[in-house]
Amino acid sequence: MSHTTQKILIVDHSTALIDRIFDLLNESSILDLRVSTSFSLSDAKEKLGDTDFALVIARVPKAKQSLCHDLIELHSPNPVLILLDDPDGSDVFSALRVGASDVFDVVDVTRHSQAFLDAVERLMGWARTLEENRFYREELEQSLSELKADQQAAYHIQRNMMPAETIEICGIKAEHQITPSLYLSGDFVDVVPVDDQRMVFYLADVSGHGASSALVTVLLKNMTQSLVRDYRDVSPDELPSLGDVLQRINTELLETGVGKHLSMFLGAIDRNSGLLHYAVGGHHPMPLLTDTRGTRYLEGRGMPVGLFEQPIYDERSIELESSFQITLFSDGILEVLPQKDILSREEYVRAVVDNLRGSSPEKLKASLTASYSGEAPDDIAIMTVVGW
C-alpha cells in the first residue's frame, strides 16, 4: 500500500482556536498532513460528505451537543476528537457514549498541548490503520472474486472433460456421479470406446482435494487419451499391458513435480472375448462385480500412482458373464458410513450394492449416505458399468 496524505478537519466558530491547533500540528512530527477547516457543524457535515478525512477535531458548544452524535455517525468508523467548553463529568460521558474517540477541554489544547498532540497522533495512527485495513479488505475481496472466477472456469473445464453422466457404448451402459467436498474434485472418472467391441474405463482419486488435486485430473485425462490411441492402433492380441500403463502414468506424474499421487482402478472390457482386463494402483475399496453368482469384490492390489519410482501394480483378467455390473467407489464413500471398522463398512457397501443391483450411482449414494448428515469430508465418486 502506498503512503498517502492524511487529512484533518478542524471544526470551530473561533479562528483563534483553529489557528492554535494549526500551529501545534505544524510543530508536531506528523508528516504528510493536510488541514481543512469549517466554522459550523452543518458546514462540517457537508465537507464530510464530499471528502474523506482521517480525523475530525470538533468544538461542540453545550447548546449543540445533540449534533455530536450526527457528526460522529457521519464520520464513522474514523475517529472524532471532541472539544468541550468547561465540561463536567456528564458532558464527557455523554460525548464518549455517542462514540467520541477522545474528549478535551478547550483550554487544555493550550494548557496541555503535548497531551493534546499525543492524542491527535494516536488517533491519526488509528485512522491510518483503518485505512490500511480497508485497503487490504478491498484487495482480499478482489482476490477472492478473481479466485471464484478461476474456480468456476476450472469447474467447467473439469466437468467438460468428464464423460456424460450416462453413456452407452459397446453394449455397455456406464453411469457416474461425483460429489466434491470442495468446489473442485480430486476424483475423476472416464469411459472411452476403443472400437465397437472394446472400451476403457477408470476411476481415479487424487490425494487431497480442491484446485491442486483437480489440476492433476487434467494431466490424467491427457495421459489416458494417449492410452486409448495406443489401443486403437493395435489388434486385441497386441494390447499394451494395463500395468505398464499405470507405470507410465506414475513416471509422468513424478516428472511433473506437483507432489500429488493418486489411487486408480483401470479397466478394459473386450466384448468379443468376454474378458475384463484390469490393473490396480492403490485403489480402495476394490470394485464390486455383480452377476448370477452374487456381488463380490474383485481381487487385486497395487501401490499408489505417482508416489514411488518403481511401484508394483497388480494386473488381472477375468471372464465376465453376458450380464454383469461393475460398481466402483472412491474411498470417500467409506468415510460417511456409520460402521466402526473398515471391514464392516466394506461389507455394508457390498450388501447395499447387491440389494440395489442395477441401480444408478445416484440411488446408491442416497442409500449409503442416508444416515450421514453434514458436509462430506472427502470427494465421493461412484461409477457403474453394466453389461447386458
Side-chain angles (χ1 to χ4, degrees), residues 52-56 72 75-80 101 126-127 130-131 134:
D52 291 328
F53 291 95
L55 173 65
V56 172
I72 291 169
H75 192 50
S76 178
N78 282 351
V80 175
S101 307
W126 177 6
L130 290 173
E131 181 184 4
R134 283 194 294 269

Side-chain angles (χ1 to χ4, degrees), residues 1-8 30-34 52-54 78 124-125 127-136:
M1 177 181 175
S2 59
H3 186 70
T4 58
T5 299
Q6 287 186 290
K7 301 173 184 176
I8 290 182
I30 304 174
L31 302 176
D32 297 324
L33 185 64
R34 182 180 299 172
D52 291 328
F53 291 95
N78 282 351
M124 292 294 285
R128 184 171 293 281
T129 299
L130 290 173
E131 181 184 4
E132 290 173 349
N133 287 344
R134 283 194 294 269
F135 175 81
Y136 293 131

Side-chain angles (χ1 to χ4, degrees), residues 6 11 15 20 27 193 197 199 210 213 217 223 227 255 258 260 278 280 313 338 353 357 373:
Q6 287 186 290
V11 185
T15 57
R20 176 57 181 157
E27 296 170 4
Q197 293 296 314
M199 61 166 288
S213 297
T217 67
M223 296 175 194
L227 158 67
E255 288 176 350
V258 296
K260 289 285 185 177
Y278 66 88
V280 186
Y313 299 117
V353 171
R357 57 177 63 194
S373 60

Side-chain angles (χ1 to χ4, degrees), residues 352-372:
V352 170
V353 171
D354 188 58
N355 185 53
L356 297 177
R357 57 177 63 194
S359 296
S360 66
E362 183 178 5
K363 188 171 182 180
L364 289 170
K365 177 177 176 285
S367 178
L368 288 166
T369 62
S371 62
Y372 186 83

